[in-house]
Amino acid sequence: MSSQLNVKMKFPSSGCFKVVPLNCEGSFKALWASVRHSNAPSMDIFVEVSTSQIVTPTPTIPLRLDDVAQFVSLQANDINEGEFDGNLEGDEFDEEFATLDENLIVIEEDGDDDLVFASAPIVEFNKVDPLDEDELNSWKTWESMVRYEKGKEFAVGQVFTNKASISDEVTFYSVQANQFFKVAESKPDTVTYKCGRSPSPCNWRLRATRKDPYSQAFTIVTYKGPHDSSCVGDMVPRDHFNLKRAFISHLIRNYVEGDWGYKVMSVVEVILDKFGYKISYAKAWNAKQRAIGDIFGDWDASYEMLPRFMQGLKESNPGTVVQWSTTPIGNSNVHTFKRVFWAFKPCIEGFEHCRPVLTIDGTHLYGKFKGTILTAMSIDANNQIFPVAFAIVESENNESWSWFMACIRLFVTKRSGLCVISDRHAGIMNAMSEVGSGWEEPHAFHRICIRHLASNVNTRYRNVKVKNMFGSTAMQFQEKKFDIGFARLGEMDRDAQHYVADVGIEKWSICHDGGHRYGILTTNLAEAFNNVLKGARFLPITALVQCIFFRVNAYFVERREEARKRLLQGQHYSSKITHLLEENCKKGAYHKVVSFDHVGGLYQVTTRRGSRNVSRGSHLHTVDLSKRTCTCNKFQTYKYPCSHVYAVCKKMKLNASQFVEISYTTGEHLASYASKFHPLKDEAYWGHYNGPRIVCDEGKRRGKGSMEYRLQPGPINPEVLTQQETHRSKAIWDGDDKGSLKCRSHLAMHKGFLVSDRVVDFIGESQFYFIHRVVGLKFNVDFITALVERWRPETHTFHLTVGEATVTLQDVQVLLGLRIRGDVVTGSSTCNWRALIYELLGQTPGEEDLKGASLRIGWLTENFSGLPEQANEQVLHQYVRAYLLILMATVMFPDKSGNDIQVVYLPLLRDLDAIDDFSWGSAVLATLYRNLCRSSNMKARDIGGPLILLQLWAWERITIARPIVTGPENPPLIQGPYPLGSQHQLRVDSLGRRWLSVHRRRPQGTTITTLLGYRDALDNMRPDQFVWQPYPQAIFSFLPEACYNDSGEWCVVSPMICFDIVEWHLPNRVARQFGWKQNIPEPADTEPKLHKMDKRGAHSRNWAEYHSAYLAMWFRRYQFRFLGVEDNSDMGYNDPYMVWYRDRTRRFISPTFQQAYQAPLGATAYLAHGFAEVHRTCNTEIQAMPQEVPPHYRNIMSNIRDNTSQSLEHVGYSHLLQQFHQPTQETQVEEQHEERGDGSTMQESTAEDDETLQVFRRRSRRTNTSMSPINEQGTPEPSKAKKIWSRLRGKKKT
């Protein structure tokens, strides 16, 4: 019969007792609280026995408090040592309680609790108060009972864990309250903080000391707070002085610990979201590096730690290879780190069971020190990555690659016939061709990654079609197909053909490879593993190596278990290879086999169309089993049977598995991962390291926010922005800023030109009427230039910080009312233009007015201004055509000539009733794209095209410095407010009409007026400053139907044509502009060669025939409409598209040392205007104060005025004070000195007067009081300075 015993105590609580089992730390807390209780001289301890028999209780024996304390201490020690769990069984009872008196009470386990509860005389007897947590924890005297609540006021007696903890809390308190503090005193045991506001700090002060020399805790001993009400924090729009990197690193530690690759801009966003301050990139980067160092060890110490770690690694995993390359510093035992190579023993042994292929690649380290990690990967029996060797080197260069490859050959493998696949880095090319290295043929075969070579072709020749043709040719298995593709490549671009041929056809062509690369086309294996290490590349060097060790081990464990399971299931081949073999077997079932030499294994196979119709069939292939060849070349390439070999084996009843290379078997798969890693020993058990002390290379240290990391303008990945080297953003970054572009708009040609009402009425029913209604819009040249600097010809989009955006066909129709549906605006350049002008306009231009197809706009304005009153229908049509040409020349298609119009558009105006049959909207947008593409080049100095469209688009979508549209004086009778401006006519005008300059005003607080200001504003653009959908459905009710009836055309992916111009419309890159979710777009091909095409040298060309292929695409555009998934939610910073986009965009245009200050907008702007008003009022009151006013009142007003002036200067709003000032008094007097108001000349002043004048000038410069305030009536207030000048002038008169 077994028994169970439980130790319990009676705990006194509110006049009654509570039975508490002594089986956990909490019960001992209660025991300790009871012992400390002043009214508990003794207490009862019981032992409960659970048995099948009734145990008679014995009397209770009171215990002395000393005995209880000793017992508690004993049992607490037992619990800490893991020996006591509160329940004792059998012999354990005798051992634990042998020394206790036998007269302890024994209580029966089971009792009728409910009956006891109901028998209480009064209800209060059953009431048990909850335990006091503070009382229970009071025995832990080393823990503080006074805690600080984050964000609240401090108090004397509050305790903080350590000195860093109180520093963080003071920083948090100050930053949140927009206050500043300074460290007045900092000693190991004392720290004092005081108000840091300058120049007049308040009495806020905090002092904390470390009272216990054996504890790190700091206690507040003095606190004077909060800050005075007059101590208001300075207005800091971007950063805060007390936001130090140490504080930020503690704040972001959890983020960095969860994501080692946590973006630096995410750190900026966290601080901005938490405190409202935008810290610099440099501070965020340094804070992140500090956080990583706190988590994974100091960056510098990590280099010293690495040799010891490598030694411990080799001791735990014998056979692991580690090789060093260091540089000794003088004669000391200190070496500078240069390179380290390592290969784990399981990787070395496992590679012998993989295919003889290595893919090598390098990738940068992202941490505090520059460097590159080189990797060598193979492929296992299941077509998966197999890590072989690693190295950390200074950079990718000839020496580092030769050293890395030599280490592999000497310490990892000596297998002959290895195939090495890589990109065409010069260091790799030299290492592979080095004589005696063991990597030259026939010891090894070097092959080029097809993807990298195709990218090189595209970069070199700027033609995606050529790149695609090369890629398709390189992947052909049969020589005849290769020859066809190679010939087509030559037809497309002869230089590209020669370029890839010079590389060596056998290095990139599958059919000329000789089967060495096993069908592996790229270095994606190595790059895929680099992506696995992407987060680890942010770590200190020892942590990086440690991470690789554990990740490779986890990789081995997973793959080993997978291979073991397949082997136990009796699977002969790995899963992926089994699938490929089954597919080939199925295809082979449809082939026809003819035997030619059964003994020699020679057969002919005729392919047939399979059940899935994946091929045309009826191809002949020859299979030679003795040589293991097939004319399809897949048998030789992959080293396992193709479908033709399977057909032969089926017919001849042969086992096809004999033709599968052994490296594909499950046995080899398991053998690759059979060798196991062993856990690292604790550092204390590592052997003694006798090598040199290794330190970091200071030349590889990335500076504290150095320009390299503070500003990464991008693109990091150049696959999208392939023309960056010639883009104007590069010139600006390099310091070659040419300033604002010259905008060619020809709007001045409209001045003095009269348009007859009859002409306007005639075009009133056409789309040109909308153009007539927006004539006169003035451009913001600096803003347009800033946008051009972000235009990318590669994608036909503006690359903004919030994503890609562009002017679309939707914008053209809604803003300008131009139709999208219709015929292409094109024709021939061959014509007798003089005769045509006379035919359609009724007048003949002079020799100077018409040169080729260029007609002087002045000739049109001079001859067609106004309309004769008695003009007949023919003359009216002539004037209409002339005015339409003027609209095209000044608004729709202005060029950079200055004053000409191309009369190629005139034939399209022959039939005025058919002018709406053309797609003028697509022609205008194509023209804008062409001019943006050309002006984005670093050599461009001006820009033409329909800039009115670009300006309207920018105002509709970008809120930065956007003017405000005033409401109508007499709004139309419609429900709700009318938002389209004071002169916009309901259902008559296009949306662009509301932005005419005569109806606009600049928003209050806007200070961006220069090109540098707009650049900086776009560099720091917030998501809420771009309107993705400015045209809600409700707004169409205010517009004529012509502004939206072609909505089905807005999302077509199609070329847009206007005579010589062909530009691609790519709405899929700006899906958010249509209310759709933006996914990572497909690669864009805007055909850069089209940007070089124009009318020069093509005077006899028929553009309709020349662009016939693009015309065909235009007429089939409905087949290529882009339709997305509706999603109007805001796109987050870490959205997959934004992550992809930030690596491929140009984020900054100008460095910070060139950026102008961007005055904050919003609430700060309104506060600034309020401060300016306070300044004006104080200044006026000071000037108007009579002499009897006490001086201290004048001093108060002066202090307020000066403080507001300093605040406005600090945030960049000092210009607001200028509107309250007049020209300097000195300038006024000097002007008066030259000439009197009545025109008579003043007399010369005396020497005494001149001396007085000079003294006043000097005082004016020192005191900066040379401005006269303006009173409420708008006239200058009299001042002391003015009285002096009046006296001087009076003397001069006499």
Side-chain angles (χ1 to χ4, degrees):
M1 178 178 61
S2 63
S3 62
Q4 181 176 354
L5 296 93
N6 299 318
V7 181
K8 293 189 176 183
M9 60 168 279
K10 278 187 178 181
F11 181 79
S13 177
S14 302
C16 61
F17 292 86
K18 182 179 180 181
V19 177
V20 179
L22 291 177
N23 59 357
C24 63
E25 184 182 3
S27 61
F28 286 113
K29 291 180 182 178
L31 179 60
W32 177 249
S34 180
V35 170
R36 292 179 69 249
H37 202 283
S38 60
N39 297 324
S42 64
M43 60 186 302
D44 294 331
I45 293 181
F46 307 97
V47 176
E48 290 184 354
V49 182
S50 299
T51 65
S52 59
Q53 298 178 356
I54 299 177
V55 180
T56 304
T58 59
T60 303
I61 298 177
L63 299 179
R64 299 178 60 84
L65 295 182
D66 294 339
D67 297 333
V68 172
Q70 183 178 2
F71 175 77
V72 170
S73 176
L74 173 63
Q75 299 306 320
N77 292 334
D78 291 343
I79 287 180
N80 291 335
E81 295 175 2
E83 298 176 2
F84 179 65
D85 60 0
N87 294 317
L88 302 176
E89 299 183 4
D91 296 337
E92 295 179 3
F93 170 75
D94 299 329
E95 295 175 4
E96 294 292 336
F97 292 94
T99 61
L100 295 181
D101 197 297
E102 297 178 354
N103 293 325
L104 289 176
I105 187 169
V106 180
I107 302 176
E108 185 179 355
E109 171 99 23
D110 300 324
D112 199 342
D113 294 338
D114 292 338
L115 293 177
V116 175
F117 186 86
S119 65
I122 59 175
V123 178
E124 284 72 12
F125 280 10
N126 293 321
K127 182 179 179 181
V128 180
D129 293 335
L131 298 180
D132 186 353
E133 289 295 329
D134 291 340
E135 186 74 15
L136 291 177
N137 287 311
S138 62
W139 66 291
K140 294 184 178 180
T141 56
W142 58 87
E143 290 191 359
S144 169
M145 300 303 295
V146 184
R147 290 296 178 184
Y148 169 69
E149 295 184 36
K150 188 177 290 291
K152 304 292 184 180
E153 282 296 324
F154 297 98
V156 174
Q158 289 175 342
V159 180
F160 299 84
T161 307
N162 49 39
K163 193 174 182 179
S165 175
I166 191 171
S167 175
D168 286 349
E169 296 299 348
V170 172
T171 301
F172 189 94
Y173 167 86
S174 300
V175 173
Q176 211 171 41
N178 194 23
Q179 296 290 356
F180 294 91
F181 71 86
K182 292 182 179 178
V183 180
E185 179 186 18
S186 181
K187 296 180 179 179
D189 297 333
T190 305
V191 62
T192 304
Y193 303 96
K194 67 178 183 178
C195 177
R197 182 175 180 268
S198 179
S200 303
C202 69
N203 293 324
W204 184 90
R205 189 179 183 87
L206 186 151
R207 179 180 175 85
T209 62
R210 191 174 68 169
K211 294 184 176 181
D212 186 353
Y214 300 101
S215 171
Q216 296 297 321
F218 273 68
T219 305
I220 296 179
V221 296
T222 303
Y223 181 64
K224 297 180 180 180
H227 289 264
D228 295 346
S229 58
S230 60
C231 182
V232 293
D234 293 340
M235 299 174 68
V236 185
R238 291 205 174 188
D239 207 342
H240 192 288
F241 172 76
N242 294 124
L243 276 173
K244 304 296 185 182
R245 63 174 183 172
F247 172 75
I248 299 173
S249 68
H250 296 161
L251 200 65
I252 64 172
R253 179 179 176 126
N254 290 338
Y255 297 103
V256 175
E257 200 164 9
D259 179 9
W260 306 335
Y262 195 68
K263 298 289 186 181
V264 178
M265 286 307 297
S266 296
V267 178
V268 177
E269 294 291 334
V270 166
I271 301 302
L272 181 63
D273 180 65
K274 199 170 190 65
F275 299 111
Y277 295 101
K278 186 174 183 180
I279 62 174
S280 65
Y281 191 95
K283 182 180 287 187
W285 184 83
N286 283 319
K288 180 193 171 183
Q289 304 313 313
R290 179 161 183 156
I292 292 177
D294 291 342
I295 299 170
F296 297 101
D298 183 75
W299 287 89
D300 292 57
S302 183
Y303 281 89
E304 296 189 38
M305 180 67 179
L306 185 60
R308 294 203 63 233
F309 176 81
M310 288 297 195
Q311 178 171 309
L313 179 64
K314 290 194 294 182
E315 291 173 357
S316 300
N317 293 266
T320 295
V321 174
V322 179
Q323 292 295 315
W324 296 89
S325 175
T326 58
T327 303
I329 301 177
N331 297 322
S332 64
N333 194 38
V334 180
H335 289 211
T336 300
F337 174 84
K338 192 174 183 181
R339 307 184 193 106
V340 62
F341 170 93
W342 73 97
F344 305 115
K345 181 186 178 182
C347 298
I348 297 174
E349 294 180 349
F351 176 58
E352 298 300 319
H353 302 277
C354 296
R355 276 165 269 179
V357 178
L358 283 177
T359 63
I360 57 175
D361 191 37
T363 186
H364 297 290
L365 300 181
Y366 295 147
K368 203 168 185 177
F369 292 90
K370 303 174 187 176
T372 302
I373 181 168
L374 306 182
T375 58
M377 299 290 141
S378 186
I379 187 168
D380 64 18
N382 200 31
N383 280 354
Q384 292 176 318
I385 303 170
F386 185 89
V388 177
F390 307 88
I392 296 175
V393 299
E394 68 280 13
S395 64
E396 288 189 80
N397 54 56
N398 291 346
E399 185 180 352
S400 63
W401 272 117
S402 295
W403 182 78
F404 179 66
M405 298 305 293
C407 287
I408 293 177
R409 192 46 110 183
L410 290 174
F411 305 109
V412 177
T413 180
K414 300 187 184 306
R415 293 173 70 176
S416 182
L418 278 175
C419 177
V420 179
I421 303 175
S422 71
D423 57 26
R424 297 182 64 245
H425 190 280
I428 300 176
M429 302 296 287
N430 292 334
M432 294 302 300
S433 60
E434 185 177 351
V435 178
S437 64
W439 294 110
E440 70 275 19
E441 295 187 10
H443 305 292
F445 301 90
H446 187 207
R447 298 294 181 256
I448 302 300
C449 170
I450 296 177
R451 181 174 62 83
H452 278 93
L453 188 55
S455 179
N456 294 341
V457 170
N458 187 48
T459 302
R460 191 181 186 95
Y461 299 101
R462 309 290 186 185
N463 194 323
V464 175
K465 292 183 178 179
V466 171
K467 181 194 78 170
N468 293 339
M469 178 54 67
F470 163 75
S472 175
T473 303
M475 296 172 63
Q476 296 299 329
F477 288 91
Q478 302 175 35
E479 288 193 23
K480 62 178 181 180
K481 293 183 178 180
F482 172 86
D483 294 339
I484 295 173
F486 196 65
R488 289 178 180 174
L489 179 64
E491 294 172 1
M492 297 173 67
D493 195 315
R494 184 66 62 182
D495 292 338
Q497 186 189 44
H498 292 323
Y499 171 74
V500 297
D502 291 341
V503 172
I505 293 178
E506 75 284 352
K507 291 186 179 295
W508 51 265
S509 171
I510 290 295
C511 65
H512 295 88
D513 165 58
H516 297 294
R517 62 195 304 162
Y518 281 74
I520 301 174
L521 306 176
T522 67
T523 58
N524 286 355
L525 294 175
E527 293 178 7
F529 197 83
N530 289 341
N531 288 332
V532 172
L533 300 177
K534 188 174 184 180
R537 288 185 281 158
F538 290 91
L539 304 182
I541 188 168
T542 300
L544 168 62
V545 177
Q546 191 174 10
C547 175
I548 293 175
F549 169 77
F550 284 104
R551 287 191 175 177
V552 172
N553 169 67
Y555 188 85
F556 264 60
V557 170
E558 182 180 348
R559 298 294 182 269
R560 185 188 307 121
E561 184 63 19
E562 177 185 338
R564 187 185 66 82
K565 287 182 179 180
R566 283 195 69 81
L567 194 62
L568 292 177
Q569 293 170 0
Q571 301 293 335
H572 190 59
Y573 301 110
S574 62
S575 57
K576 292 185 178 180
I577 298 302
T578 298
H579 175 72
L580 294 173
L581 295 177
E582 289 174 351
E583 288 294 316
N584 287 346
C585 184
K586 290 179 183 179
K587 290 172 62 178
Y590 297 95
H591 300 338
K592 180 181 178 180
V593 179
V594 177
S595 176
F596 280 79
D597 185 356
H598 179 66
V599 177
L602 187 63
Y603 305 91
Q604 183 185 71
V605 180
T606 305
T607 61
R608 293 182 179 179
R609 189 186 301 270
S611 60
R612 297 171 60 187
N613 294 328
V614 294
S615 63
R616 292 175 297 172
S618 301
H619 292 294
L620 296 178
H621 291 284
T622 301
V623 175
D624 191 336
L625 295 181
S626 62
K627 297 180 180 179
R628 292 178 176 256
T629 63
C630 177
T631 53
C632 74
N633 204 36
K634 294 180 181 179
F635 190 17
Q636 301 92 295
T637 299
Y638 293 117
K639 307 296 192 299
Y640 59 73
C642 59
S643 62
H644 314 116
V645 174
Y646 264 106
V648 172
C649 291
K650 181 179 179 181
K651 180 177 178 61
M652 306 310 299
K653 294 181 174 52
L654 299 175
N655 185 1
S657 61
Q658 62 181 306
F659 302 108
V660 180
E661 189 172 280
I662 190 174
S663 61
Y664 292 110
T665 62
T666 306
E668 289 297 286
H669 189 201
L670 181 59
S672 299
Y673 300 99
S675 185
K676 299 177 181 179
F677 288 83
H678 298 282
L680 293 172
K681 299 178 182 178
D682 186 82
E683 184 178 349
Y685 296 96
W686 293 351
H688 181 67
Y689 172 68
N690 296 319
R693 175 190 169 206
I694 295 180
V695 298
C696 59
D697 183 356
E698 289 297 331
K700 295 298 179 179
R701 184 189 299 273
R702 291 188 171 102
K704 297 182 179 180
S706 62
M707 186 62 64
E708 176 181 359
Y709 259 68
R710 182 167 65 248
L711 289 175
Q712 287 187 345
I716 298 174
N717 187 330
E719 67 180 13
V720 175
L721 304 186
T722 57
Q723 301 181 36
Q724 180 58 39
E725 291 301 312
T726 59
H727 197 268
R728 67 185 303 107
S729 61
K730 183 179 187 300
I732 295 170
W733 189 267
D734 294 341
D736 186 17
D737 185 4
K738 299 296 191 299
S740 298
L741 293 167
K742 184 176 182 180
C743 296
R744 303 284 189 176
S745 64
H746 313 311
L747 289 179
M749 300 296 179
H750 278 280
K751 293 182 178 179
F753 181 78
L754 300 177
V755 185
S756 171
D757 292 340
R758 291 180 62 189
V759 173
V760 175
D761 292 341
F762 189 93
I763 67 173
E765 299 299 325
S766 72
Q767 52 190 303
F768 287 92
Y769 177 75
F770 302 114
I771 302 297
H772 163 75
R773 291 283 289 171
V774 297
V775 170
L777 184 76
K778 295 182 180 179
F779 305 140
N780 187 331
V781 177
D782 293 327
F783 193 20
I784 288 178
T785 303
L787 287 174
V788 172
E789 292 166 356
R790 289 189 168 274
W791 177 263
R792 303 306 309 202
E794 303 93 333
T795 59
H796 284 173
T797 56
F798 297 101
H799 276 228
L800 306 174
T801 59
V802 297
E804 292 182 75
T806 193
V807 188
T808 65
L809 292 173
Q810 178 193 40
D811 299 299
V812 180
Q813 187 167 20
V814 174
L815 294 174
L816 297 182
L818 296 177
R819 294 286 304 276
I820 309 303
R821 183 183 293 112
D823 294 333
V824 174
V825 177
T826 188
S828 176
S829 298
T830 304
C831 183
N832 185 343
W833 298 116
R834 195 175 302 277
L836 181 67
I837 293 173
Y838 178 77
E839 175 190 352
L840 299 181
L841 300 184
Q843 299 188 43
T844 303
E847 294 295 333
E848 296 298 323
D849 299 322
L850 180 66
K851 296 181 178 179
S854 298
L855 178 64
R856 189 170 64 87
I857 301 175
W859 181 81
L860 290 172
T861 58
E862 292 165 4
N863 292 278
F864 294 94
S865 179
L867 178 69
E869 294 182 2
Q870 304 300 325
N872 56 26
E873 195 73 13
Q874 181 180 1
V875 175
L876 173 62
H877 288 183
Q878 293 169 353
Y879 273 70
V880 168
R881 294 189 185 98
Y883 183 55
L884 294 181
L885 282 178
I886 292 175
L887 290 178
M888 293 179 183
T890 58
V891 179
M892 299 170 64
F893 309 112
D895 56 22
K896 295 187 292 185
S897 63
N899 59 357
D900 291 340
I901 175 64
Q902 297 295 314
V903 292
V904 292
Y905 302 102
L906 189 56
L908 307 181
L909 306 179
R910 182 186 299 275
D911 184 1
L912 293 176
D913 294 330
I915 56 176
D916 280 347
D917 294 343
F918 294 96
S919 176
W920 295 106
S922 65
V924 167
L925 188 57
T927 305
L928 176 62
Y929 279 11
R930 172 60 57 85
N931 282 273
L932 286 172
C933 290
R934 289 190 169 181
S935 299
S936 63
N937 188 279
M938 62 172 58
K939 297 181 180 179
R941 298 293 179 269
D942 50 19
I943 182 174
L947 299 182
I948 187 173
L949 173 59
L950 178 59
Q951 183 69 84
L952 292 174
W953 176 87
W955 281 337
E956 287 288 345
R957 295 188 179 272
I958 301 176
T959 63
I960 296 174
R962 179 167 66 179
I964 296 176
V965 178
T966 59
E969 296 179 2
N970 300 308
L973 299 176
I974 59 175
Q975 296 293 329
Y978 186 64
L980 301 188
S982 57
Q983 296 299 315
H984 186 277
Q985 294 187 22
L986 180 64
R987 300 188 186 91
V988 172
D989 292 324
S990 64
L991 188 60
R993 170 74 178 179
R994 66 170 174 160
W995 293 103
L996 285 186
S997 58
V998 293
H999 311 307
R1000 291 185 288 110
R1001 63 182 176 88
R1002 184 176 297 278
Q1004 189 178 26
T1006 300
T1007 59
I1008 305 175
T1009 57
T1010 64
L1011 174 59
L1012 291 179
Y1014 285 114
R1015 279 181 190 161
D1016 187 36
L1018 293 178
D1019 279 351
N1020 296 278
M1021 190 178 192
R1022 302 190 307 270
D1024 62 323
Q1025 290 179 321
F1026 190 87
V1027 182
W1028 290 105
Q1029 292 180 268
Y1031 317 127
Q1033 193 66 31
I1035 209 170
F1036 292 143
S1037 61
F1038 303 124
L1039 305 178
E1041 186 180 355
C1043 292
Y1044 55 84
N1045 58 1
D1046 291 341
S1047 59
E1049 310 267 349
W1050 291 347
C1051 298
V1052 295
V1053 179
S1054 170
M1056 302 177 296
I1057 305 166
C1058 181
F1059 284 93
D1060 57 304
I1061 299 174
V1062 177
E1063 299 292 343
W1064 280 89
H1065 183 244
L1066 303 172
N1068 59 307
R1069 302 192 73 88
V1070 291
R1072 285 183 285 175
Q1073 292 186 205
F1074 301 96
W1076 296 331
K1077 178 177 177 57
Q1078 181 64 66
N1079 297 315
I1080 298 175
E1082 295 292 329
D1085 181 13
T1086 58
E1087 301 189 59
K1089 66 178 182 181
L1090 295 175
H1091 298 157
K1092 302 177 182 179
M1093 190 178 301
D1094 53 29
K1095 299 184 184 72
R1096 290 176 294 184
H1099 302 298
S1100 60
R1101 180 170 293 171
N1102 187 327
W1103 294 105
E1105 296 178 356
Y1106 191 79
H1107 292 319
S1108 58
Y1110 296 103
L1111 262 69
M1113 296 180 192
W1114 169 259
F1115 289 119
R1116 299 198 314 270
R1117 62 189 180 277
Y1118 296 104
Q1119 303 176 16
F1120 305 101
R1121 290 178 61 194
F1122 170 70
L1123 297 176
V1125 178
E1126 184 174 354
D1127 183 6
N1128 292 315
S1129 60
D1130 295 333
M1131 182 171 285
Y1133 181 83
N1134 292 317
D1135 185 271
Y1137 166 77
M1138 292 304 299
V1139 174
W1140 172 88
Y1141 172 73
R1142 281 192 295 271
D1143 285 346
R1144 290 159 178 80
T1145 188
R1146 184 76 170 185
R1147 301 180 64 184
F1148 302 107
I1149 299 301
S1150 58
T1152 52
F1153 56 80
Q1154 295 179 0
Q1155 289 179 353
Y1157 179 81
Q1158 178 192 358
L1161 302 177
T1164 307
Y1166 291 111
L1167 286 174
H1169 281 269
F1171 272 40
E1173 182 65 23
V1174 171
H1175 182 281
R1176 183 195 70 80
T1177 303
C1178 291
N1179 210 20
T1180 303
E1181 292 297 327
I1182 291 172
Q1183 296 297 331
M1185 278 183 182
Q1187 295 296 328
E1188 57 270 18
V1189 174
H1192 68 274
Y1193 285 117
R1194 186 185 300 272
N1195 293 337
I1196 292 174
M1197 299 296 288
S1198 298
N1199 289 335
I1200 296 175
R1201 179 195 61 187
D1202 295 342
N1203 287 336
T1204 55
S1205 176
Q1206 292 175 7
S1207 297
L1208 290 171
E1209 245 180 72
H1210 188 73
V1211 296
Y1213 275 87
S1214 58
H1215 65 280
L1216 297 178
L1217 303 177
Q1218 298 173 6
Q1219 58 183 310
F1220 306 129
H1221 296 159
Q1222 291 290 335
T1224 63
Q1225 297 164 350
E1226 180 181 337
T1227 306
Q1228 291 177 347
V1229 176
E1230 288 179 346
E1231 291 174 353
Q1232 294 169 355
H1233 185 72
E1234 294 177 2
E1235 186 173 355
R1236 294 175 54 188
D1238 57 1
S1240 59
T1241 305
M1242 292 184 179
Q1243 299 177 0
E1244 294 184 2
S1245 61
T1246 63
E1248 182 182 355
D1249 296 333
D1250 290 340
E1251 183 178 355
T1252 303
L1253 175 65
Q1254 296 301 325
V1255 171
F1256 182 80
R1257 284 176 174 173
R1258 290 195 295 271
R1259 289 179 178 175
S1260 298
R1261 294 191 186 101
R1262 287 199 302 267
T1263 60
N1264 195 23
T1265 59
S1266 59
M1267 299 293 183
S1268 296
I1270 298 177
N1271 61 18
E1272 295 179 358
Q1273 288 74 30
T1275 59
E1277 289 280 0
S1279 63
K1280 185 176 179 180
K1282 207 160 205 178
K1283 293 177 182 178
I1284 296 175
W1285 288 117
S1286 299
R1287 181 172 60 82
L1288 289 175
R1289 189 171 64 175
K1291 288 185 178 182
K1292 294 178 187 296
K1293 289 182 180 179
T1294 58

